[in-house]
Structures are given as C-alpha cells and as structure tokens.
Amino acid sequence: MKKRKINGWGLYPKIEAEVFSLSDEIKALEILKQVDEIIPYGNGRSYGDSSLNNKVLDCRSYNYFIEFDELNGILKAQAGVLLSEILNIVVPKGWFLSITPGTKLITLGGAIASDVHGKNHHKDGCFSECVDEIKIMKPDGEIVFARKGDELFKATCGGMGLTGIILEASIRLKKINSIYIDQIVVKTKNLDETFEAFEQYAHYPYSVAWIDCLARKSSIGRCVLMAGDFRNDGRLNYKEKRKLNVPFNFPSLTLNKFSVKAFNFMYYNKILKKETRTIADIDSFFYPLDAIDNWNRIYGKNGFTQYQFILPKETSREGLKELLEEISKSGKGSFLAVLKLYGKANENYLSFPMEGYSLALDFKIEKGLFEFLDKLDRIVLNYGGRIYLTKDARIGKEVFEKGYPNIDKFREFREKIDPKRKLNSLQSKRLEL
C-alpha cells in the first residue's frame, strides 16, 4: 500500500488515496478484510469520481490472458487487461471487440463496471451483450460467477464496481476480415437534417456524429456524421501507431468561447461535400483521441467534466434542440461534442443507454459551470432522460434517481450482498447508491 494523488480522466476531482495493488485472489481477500471501504480502480479513464475514494484497489497489474479460443472468438482474461492489449492479440487473428467505446485504453473490468457502449449500440447494445461470464469476489470475500439472467450480472454490469471485485471475464468477439472500414461522411445543415441522416444510415453497423454545439438559429444541430462497416479485403496487419503527446497542462484561458467557436467553424467547413466516401482504419475510426496521449491536459490544471445525457427517441429532437440552444447561448460550448443513436435498453439495473439519442460534451471546470449544468439537468429530466454515471462528477441524488428507474432494485441487492458498504466510491456516497 502507498499513498498517492489520483484522479479520473477529467482531472477533477483530485484526491490523495491509499493505493493497494491487486496481484492475486489471496491478496484481494486480505485487502478486503483489512480496510473499512475501498473501490476498484482500473486505468483511470472514467471521467469523474466513480473510481475514487480514500482507499482504492489498483487492478491494472492483474492483466493476464487466460484463454483465447481462436476458432470461436471467445476470450477469457483478467480484469486489468486493457482493450488495446486485447486488440493487439485478436485483430491479427481476424477478430475484433463486439462492443467498444471511444477509447481502447480502459480495462476489461472497467468496461463491464460501466457497461460501456459504442458506435453500434443501435444494432448490438452494450458491452454486457458480449459478456458470457464474470468471475467476481463479493464484498465478503466469496468468489462467485455471474452469467446473463443472474441478479449479480444485472447489478454488476453498469454497477460501477460496487457489487464486488471483478477478477476475470469471458467475452465473445466479432469476426472481421480487415482492419479497414468503408466510411461515409455526411454533412448536415441543422438538427432536422441530422436526425434524417441518422435514420437514413441506421442500416450501417457503426455511426456517430460530431455536432457543432455553438451553432445558432437555423444552423442549430448541424453535424458531421460518420457511418461505416468493415471491409472484406483480408488485410489484418494491425499495429499501433506512434502517438502525439500533450506534455503539460494548457493555460486555462486557451479554451474559451472564441477558440472553441473557431475550431468548430474549421472542423465543420473542412468537409466540402454533403456526402463523402472514404476508407478509415480501426484506430482512426473507433479511437481518434487515443492518438494523443494526455489530451485531457488541454483543459488546464483545473480539469474538465464530460456531460453525457441520453433522451428517449420520442423526445430527442425537441429536447436536443432546447439543450443545444441553452449551450449555444451560454458560450460554454465544447469542441468535443458527440451525438449517437441508441437501440433498446437492457435489463441491467444501472446501464445508461435507452432507445434514443445521446450527446456527450466536455466542459472545462470554471466558475458558474456546475450551476449551468444543473440547468441542463432539469431540461434532461423534463424530456425523460438521464446522465451517464461513468462521466459524472457532480449530479445530485434527486437528479440521478429520476433518471434510473431500477435504482431501488440495485440498492436492495447491494444491501443484501454488502450491508456495510465495503465497496464504496465518492460517487456512490454522493448519490447514496
């Protein structure tokens, strides 16, 4: 055990914590017995305080591959394995992650705890859809296995590490025959065109849009939508590219409404045609920001928070219009604004997605931000939406509860398996999970 300063990817909040390392199951049991409370910590890529506490269990070194069935695409690995490490092994063999978020630098355990989703949610759902089995050490030290349909599975997938220490998992992979994607890039003029484009290209397995959140009036909701599918050319020579690095925290004033507006203008107008067909590789299509190490430093030493909400499909157009108008008026826009179409919700108690549209935006921490986000919260709830826990660092209990109808089921289950709240985070205490 050693003390060190830790934070999530948003660099807010920063705390000093006692850090224990997960090396084996016996050590994990010893740690659980000696601490009053602790929370698993992976690669630090959840944005807020969901993996922070005064004591954390660093799972990153618990990262062995256990078994890989190349014929059927079944992989079993320890929870600390990064998705990038999985890709390095499986892509040259003709396999890919069935579900992947916008970064490959998260752990397998973190992907399960957040029940992450990606550009294909409208077709294939959350990460839990490809999980066959999870090996978990419960808060009392008992080791059990969770499978689909189990209450432990439904509470653990999306449960933010509060139901036990995820030790291992078996996942099903997707068969591919190329590292390249046939991509179509569509430029829209406003929110109506954006919704039409999503529906028009919904037959593609992958879709995502960058949206200009500072556009105003008739241009509200204009976007650049990217949709695509894997090619079938047999090229599987996958290897990671060299990365750029942000070596220090930018001055806080670097990002302001003028610089963000200028970036948005250039990004939108660099696309000259309404529709362009191109070829992208795995990293540029799925993980564009992973090409820049420490990109979170551009927000300055105070950090940032990512605000991600989802609205039901029937209220998405009206709700997004109102939210984008508020964001545009505020001048607190984000140059990283990602819009996605989602399919049906699953049965997991705290999974974020529902059938509808989600928007994720980054806001640097500054005076008046949280009050402004409180205002956005009220609009989100008014349209039947909710906030993503993996990105959150500040919502209140009431806002959270209104968005998650299965919270009582989760709390009842957690009371049953962890009445002393051995597994606890700053977020779980703030929201009384």
Side-chain angles (χ1 to χ4, degrees), residues 85-359:
E85 294 167 337
I86 293 175
L87 293 174
N88 290 338
I89 294 293
V90 306
V91 171
K93 306 290 186 183
W95 296 97
F96 187 64
L97 295 163
S98 297
I99 313 292
T100 181
T103 176
K104 58 183 176 178
L105 300 177
I106 67 170
T107 61
L108 178 58
I112 294 169
S114 292
D115 202 10
V116 295
H117 50 272
K119 297 175 176 64
N120 58 337
H121 189 278
H122 63 293
K123 293 284 190 182
D124 300 315
C126 289
F127 194 81
S128 55
E129 295 298 322
C130 72
V131 177
D132 285 339
E133 184 177 77
I134 312 168
K135 186 178 183 181
I136 301 171
M137 179 174 287
K138 292 166 58 180
D140 62 4
E142 180 187 7
I143 293 177
V144 296
F145 292 87
R147 301 173 184 86
K148 276 190 181 62
D150 297 345
E151 191 173 19
L152 179 58
F153 187 94
K154 290 188 284 188
T156 298
C157 296
M160 310 310 294
L162 301 174
T163 61
I165 299 169
I166 298 172
L167 299 171
E168 302 170 6
S170 295
I171 62 172
R172 282 172 284 107
L173 302 169
K174 172 187 176 75
K175 189 66 178 172
I176 60 171
N177 193 36
S178 180
I179 63 168
Y180 295 100
I181 292 97
D182 281 318
Q183 176 180 251
I184 183 166
V185 180
V186 181
K187 184 177 180 179
T188 71
K189 295 179 179 178
N190 51 47
L191 192 60
D192 286 339
E193 282 195 9
T194 295
F195 275 94
E196 289 167 9
F198 265 106
E199 296 300 327
Q200 181 180 348
Y201 297 101
H203 61 284
Y204 278 86
Y206 302 103
S207 64
V208 67
W210 168 88
I211 196 163
D212 183 356
C213 61
L214 288 180
R216 306 194 73 173
K217 298 181 179 178
S218 62
S219 295
I220 281 277
R222 68 181 186 180
C223 85
V224 177
L225 181 144
M226 291 142 283
D229 195 5
F230 279 97
R231 293 172 66 84
N232 187 31
D233 56 21
R235 293 188 287 175
L236 293 166
N237 54 328
Y238 178 74
K239 59 181 180 181
E240 293 192 76
K241 303 173 184 176
R242 293 182 63 182
K243 296 183 178 183
L244 300 173
N245 181 45
V246 179
F248 53 82
N249 290 321
F250 280 22
S252 181
L253 290 175
T254 304
L255 286 182
N256 54 62
K257 65 180 180 181
F258 303 108
S259 61
V260 172
K261 191 169 186 177
F263 173 88
N264 286 5
F265 177 84
M266 289 187 291
Y267 189 89
Y268 180 77
N269 286 287
K270 77 174 184 176
I271 309 297
L272 301 178
K273 298 179 181 179
K274 180 175 176 61
E275 184 177 304
T276 308
R277 294 183 182 271
T278 62
I279 297 173
D281 62 26
I282 281 174
D283 285 341
S284 62
F285 185 80
F286 290 101
Y287 316 111
L289 284 175
D290 285 349
I292 307 172
D293 278 337
N294 302 305
W295 63 260
N296 52 350
R297 291 175 176 169
I298 67 176
Y299 291 92
K301 66 179 182 179
N302 292 331
F304 70 103
T305 186
Q306 185 167 107
Y307 187 77
Q308 184 168 5
F309 64 87
I310 189 166
L311 302 177
K313 201 167 187 179
E314 60 271 19
T315 66
S316 286
R317 189 173 306 214
E318 186 180 355
L320 275 168
K321 185 173 186 294
E322 184 173 343
L323 285 155
L324 287 169
E325 285 173 345
E326 288 294 334
I327 293 165
S328 182
K329 281 191 299 184
S330 76
K332 296 181 183 295
S334 166
F335 70 92
L336 292 174
V338 178
L339 183 67
K340 287 202 289 264
L341 171 65
Y342 290 67
K344 292 182 179 179
N346 59 37
E347 295 182 350
N348 302 331
Y349 295 157
L350 296 185
S351 280
F352 167 71
M354 64 175 75
E355 189 171 10
Y357 285 85
S358 166
L359 181 63

